[in-house]
């Protein structure tokens, strides 16, 4: 029986070799997505902006990360299916019907495409691009959203127009463009279902999805599912939320891949949690009384979940919020603002942000060439600092300061150094721990009674004290601006 599921989900047309996950299989329609110019552009966008100026190996791209997320998302779903079938066979012989196999296959392929396209809207230097002041002004221009969707009905994806665009909105626009060019019909898929499990969307799923969702719910929840009850109208939404949580949730394929990939390429081990152990303890969680359908973790898998969450916390503290890395992020944002002072560059980026025909041009390469052009003309520019790795001069690091506390400490440092407060630069990052302790419906613990083997779902804090011991924190670094005329260039590594 499980062999039938594996055969159904395991057929592929091509294999991509990945340094983190090994061989990653692809279906024909996924190859078409990957070969689309709007997806190929991700080859030229670095996963971690310019983190390679601190960790030289961190040159990996959004392209391979996206394929890795698809692979991890598939493993998550298949692992839960396999565990469910294995546990049901302990008490009864279970044979899957063709409709159940078809539903599992449809949902699995929808997850794969949602994961593959989840980051397709990132522009140059990923998150730092949208944090640059001039870019934020461009993306919040009135009418930008309608310009981006000109000639296309966006109402299927967005119930209302967002006031300010984020990269997730661009991912939805790219996904629409790419999937329209792919032969989804031969794969039996619907674009709206794929886009519906991506962030920022509010989608009414297709009738095909609704049919498969009801079949899947009845399969998972069993006789108590009450598919014919008034609750049946909510079932497609429950299943869509489950799929969305695999793409973007507390334990999602995105985080699992970027932690392993960033740790691998940065040559650090703090992001190296045991993915196999975590996946082997994931389960479908459901409650027909609410109703609720989501991810659950077994009691013996709590250690793997704790390791996953703490590893992410440490990656933020030791890698993403590294004092030199945050300093270069500040310089990068200022250099982007600098490049956009050129009216020609400004108009071109403005055009790219409003037209899918040109959006593929927004890659790291465009800005690197622009930085070099500015640096040649202006050796005291921020662009010169980026091109020549001239770093901010680090003064101090403090944690959990308020905004007024940051200003006070900046003024104090300037006074101690005898410089103008304007010369002191501050960079802050939230060292995230997890929303698990505040989002109990995101994931629950599956508890089984030792005698009757009855199952129950409990809040994580009822079973583990681990998540109550930690909290998010803010790391703030203080710097002085570099004196680029003295050739104060940093060493290759820290």
């Amino acid at each position: 029986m499980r062999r039938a599921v594996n055969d159904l989900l395991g057929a592929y047309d091509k294999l991509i070799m990945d340094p983190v996950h090994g061989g990653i299989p692809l279906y024909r329609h996924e190859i078409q997505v990957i070969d689309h110019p709007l997806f190929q552009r991700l080859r030229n966008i670095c996963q971690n902006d310019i983190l390679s100026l601190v960790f030289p190996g961190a040159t990996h791209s959004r392209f391979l990360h996206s394929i890795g997320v698809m692979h991890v998302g598939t493993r998550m779903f298949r692992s839960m299916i396999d565990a469910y079938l294995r546990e049901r066979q302990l008490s009864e012989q279970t044979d899957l019907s063709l409709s159940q196999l078809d539903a599992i296959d449809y949902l699995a392929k929808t997850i794969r495409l949602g994961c593959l396209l989840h980051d397709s809207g990132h522009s140059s230097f990923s998150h730092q691009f949208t944090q640059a002041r001039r870019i934020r002004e461009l993306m919040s221009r009135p009418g930008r959203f309608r310009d981006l969707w000109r000639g296309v009905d966006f109402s299927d994806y967005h119930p209302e127009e967002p006031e300010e665009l984020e990269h997730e909105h661009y991912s939805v626009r790219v996904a629409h463009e790419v999937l329209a060019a792919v032969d989804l019909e031969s794969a039996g898929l619907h674009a709206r279902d794929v886009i519906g499990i991506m962030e920022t969307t509010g989608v009414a799923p297709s009738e095909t999805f609704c049919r498969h969702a009801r079949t899947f719910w009845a399969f998972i929840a069993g006789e108590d599912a009450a598919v014919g009850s008034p609750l049946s109208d909510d079932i497609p939404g429950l299943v869509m939320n489950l799929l969305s949580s695999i793409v973007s949730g507390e334990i999602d394929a995105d985080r699992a891949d970027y932690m392993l990939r960033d740790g691998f390429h940065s040559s650090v081990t703090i992001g190296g949690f045991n993915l196999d152990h975590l996946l082997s303890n994931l389960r479908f969680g459901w409650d027909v009384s609410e109703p609720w359908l989501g991810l659950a973790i077994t009691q013996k898998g709590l250690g793997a979940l704790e390791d996953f969450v703490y590893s992410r916390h440490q990656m933020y503290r030791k890698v993403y919020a590294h004092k030199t890395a945050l300093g270069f992020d500040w310089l990068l944002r200022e250099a982007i603002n600098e490049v956009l002072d050129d009216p020609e560059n400004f108009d071109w980026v403005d055009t790219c942000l409003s037209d899918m025909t040109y959006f593929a041009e927004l890659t790291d390469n465009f800005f690197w060439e622009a930085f070099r052009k500015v640096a040649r003309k202006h050796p005291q520019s921020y662009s010169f600092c980026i091109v020549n790795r001239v770093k901010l001069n680090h003064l101090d690091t403090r944690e959990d300061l308020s905004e007024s506390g940051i200003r006070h400490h900046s003024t104090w440092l300037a006074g101690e150094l005898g410089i103008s407060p304007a010369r002191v630069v501050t960079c802050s990052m939230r060292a995230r721990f997890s929303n698990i302790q505040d989002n109990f419906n995101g994931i629950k613990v599956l508890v089984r009674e030792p005698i009757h083997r009855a199952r129950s779902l409990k809040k994580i804090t009822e079973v583990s004290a681990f998540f109550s011991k930690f909290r998010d924190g803010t790391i703030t670094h203080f710097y002085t601006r570099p004196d680029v005329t003295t050739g104060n260039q940093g060493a290759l590594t820290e």
Side-chain angles (χ1 to χ4, degrees):
M1 170 195 43
R2 289 199 305 274
R3 175 67 181 274
V5 177
N6 289 337
D7 287 345
L8 183 63
L9 299 181
Y12 62 89
D13 298 283
K14 181 177 286 188
L15 196 69
I16 284 183
M17 298 309 297
D18 175 62
V20 175
H21 301 296
I24 297 179
L26 300 171
Y27 292 101
R28 185 174 291 106
H29 62 277
E30 293 163 355
I31 297 171
Q32 294 173 2
V33 168
I34 290 171
D35 285 342
H36 194 285
L38 283 171
F39 193 88
Q40 285 290 312
R41 64 184 280 277
L42 298 178
R43 289 181 181 273
N44 299 309
I45 297 176
C46 193
Q47 170 74 11
N48 297 120
D49 47 77
I50 53 173
L51 188 65
S52 61
L53 294 184
V54 182
F55 299 94
T59 58
H60 51 300
S61 68
R62 287 274 162 185
F63 177 85
L64 199 49
H65 164 65
S66 297
I67 296 174
V69 174
M70 179 190 69
H71 179 67
V72 174
T74 303
R75 288 191 62 193
M76 289 176 67
F77 186 69
R78 289 183 59 179
S79 178
M80 290 187 287
I81 289 286
D82 188 67
Y84 180 82
L85 293 174
R86 185 175 61 250
E87 291 170 358
R88 283 190 65 173
Q89 280 191 318
L90 292 176
S91 58
E92 59 182 273
Q93 185 66 32
T94 305
D95 292 320
L96 293 181
S97 66
L98 288 178
S99 62
Q100 289 170 335
L101 286 169
D102 196 26
I104 292 171
D105 183 56
Y106 189 90
L107 299 182
K109 288 179 177 177
T110 299
I111 289 170
R112 286 174 64 85
L113 284 181
C115 288
L116 186 62
L117 290 163
H118 83 287
D119 266 354
S120 57
H122 267 298
S123 297
S124 312
F125 302 114
S126 297
H127 292 286
Q128 296 307 315
F129 178 81
T130 54
Q131 292 181 30
R133 174 180 50 81
R134 299 296 304 276
I135 297 298
R136 290 241 56 86
E137 293 172 357
L138 276 173
M139 292 180 69
S140 59
R141 174 178 62 78
R144 171 74 64 191
F145 182 78
R146 286 196 170 272
D147 287 346
L148 186 63
W149 286 92
R150 185 181 294 111
V152 181
D153 183 7
F154 59 81
S155 60
D156 282 346
Y157 311 132
H158 299 288
E160 57 185 26
E161 297 181 40
E163 293 182 2
E164 189 170 356
L165 297 185
E166 302 290 347
H167 77 268
E168 291 90 353
H169 295 104
Y170 279 89
S171 292
V172 172
R173 182 64 181 91
V174 169
H176 173 85
E177 195 78 10
V178 171
L179 294 176
V182 171
D183 184 16
L184 286 185
E185 184 176 353
S186 63
L189 299 173
H190 294 269
R192 66 190 301 171
D193 298 335
V194 174
I195 295 174
I197 65 173
M198 297 171 64
E199 291 184 272
T200 75
T201 59
V203 171
S206 70
E207 181 52 42
T208 302
F209 185 96
C210 293
R211 183 179 74 253
H212 289 317
R214 294 187 180 99
T215 299
F216 181 75
W217 171 253
F219 164 64
I220 291 296
E223 295 180 357
D224 295 333
V227 176
S229 74
L231 293 177
S232 61
D233 292 339
D234 299 330
I235 290 172
L238 293 178
V239 176
M240 183 159 278
N241 288 338
L242 170 69
L243 270 56
S244 297
S245 70
I246 293 175
V247 179
S248 179
E250 278 309 302
I251 306 179
D252 60 21
D254 180 31
R255 292 176 180 177
D257 182 81
Y258 78 61
M259 283 168 57
L260 291 175
R261 194 170 301 278
D262 295 352
F264 174 83
H265 287 284
S266 301
S267 299
V268 299
T269 58
I270 52 179
F273 65 96
N274 191 325
L275 179 62
D276 292 335
H277 187 203
L278 180 64
L279 295 186
S280 68
N281 286 285
L282 279 182
R283 299 291 188 271
F284 295 115
W286 70 91
D287 186 339
V288 296
S289 64
E290 292 191 32
W292 178 81
L293 178 66
L295 301 182
I297 190 82
T298 65
Q299 280 182 288
K300 73 174 184 177
L302 275 175
L305 176 60
E306 292 166 358
D307 187 35
F308 173 83
V309 173
Y310 188 65
S311 294
R312 179 170 178 258
H313 179 64
Q314 288 294 83
M315 282 291 288
Y316 270 88
R317 295 185 64 85
K318 304 301 183 183
V319 178
Y320 307 138
H322 187 284
K323 61 182 177 64
T324 308
L326 281 193
F328 275 122
D329 285 345
W330 185 88
L331 287 168
L332 174 62
R333 294 191 295 270
E334 293 302 316
I336 291 173
N337 293 332
E338 207 169 54
V339 163
L340 293 183
D341 284 339
D342 183 327
E344 183 178 348
N345 289 335
F346 182 91
D347 290 342
W348 176 241
V349 173
D350 186 26
T351 298
C352 292
L353 288 173
S354 290
D355 193 330
M356 283 292 105
T357 305
Y358 305 106
F359 185 69
E361 302 291 332
L362 280 182
T363 65
D364 295 358
N365 296 339
F366 169 81
F367 279 96
W368 276 113
E369 289 305 315
F371 294 156
R372 293 185 182 100
K373 182 177 179 180
V374 173
R376 284 193 296 270
K377 293 182 178 179
H378 307 287
Q380 292 187 333
S381 62
Y382 295 115
S383 295
F384 183 92
C385 295
I386 292 296
V387 171
N388 295 281
R389 199 184 181 275
V390 181
K391 61 185 179 180
L392 295 176
N393 303 303
H394 183 255
L395 298 175
D396 196 10
T397 298
R398 289 285 186 270
E399 295 193 18
D400 298 329
L401 291 179
S402 63
E403 291 187 12
S404 61
I406 291 174
R407 290 194 297 270
H408 176 79
H409 195 61
S410 295
T411 303
W412 179 83
L413 286 171
E416 291 294 306
L417 294 171
I419 61 175
S420 167
R423 286 201 59 200
V424 177
V425 172
T426 64
C427 299
S428 298
M429 176 175 280
R430 188 78 168 168
R432 293 187 177 92
F433 179 62
S434 176
N435 290 327
I436 286 179
Q437 48 194 321
D438 299 319
N439 184 24
F440 296 125
N441 273 338
I443 179 168
K444 296 183 180 180
V445 180
L446 180 62
V447 178
R448 293 189 181 277
E449 299 298 333
I451 298 178
H452 303 291
R453 300 191 62 82
R455 55 177 292 280
S456 63
L457 293 168
K458 294 188 176 182
K459 295 179 179 179
I460 283 187
T461 49
E462 294 177 5
V463 183
S464 171
F466 176 84
F467 298 97
S468 300
K469 295 179 180 178
F470 302 91
R471 60 183 177 82
D472 290 359
T474 300
I475 299 173
T476 302
H477 299 301
F478 298 83
Y479 314 83
T480 56
R481 300 169 189 265
D483 182 4
V484 296
T485 61
T486 63
N488 178 26
Q489 298 182 18
L492 182 60
T493 60
E494 281 297 309

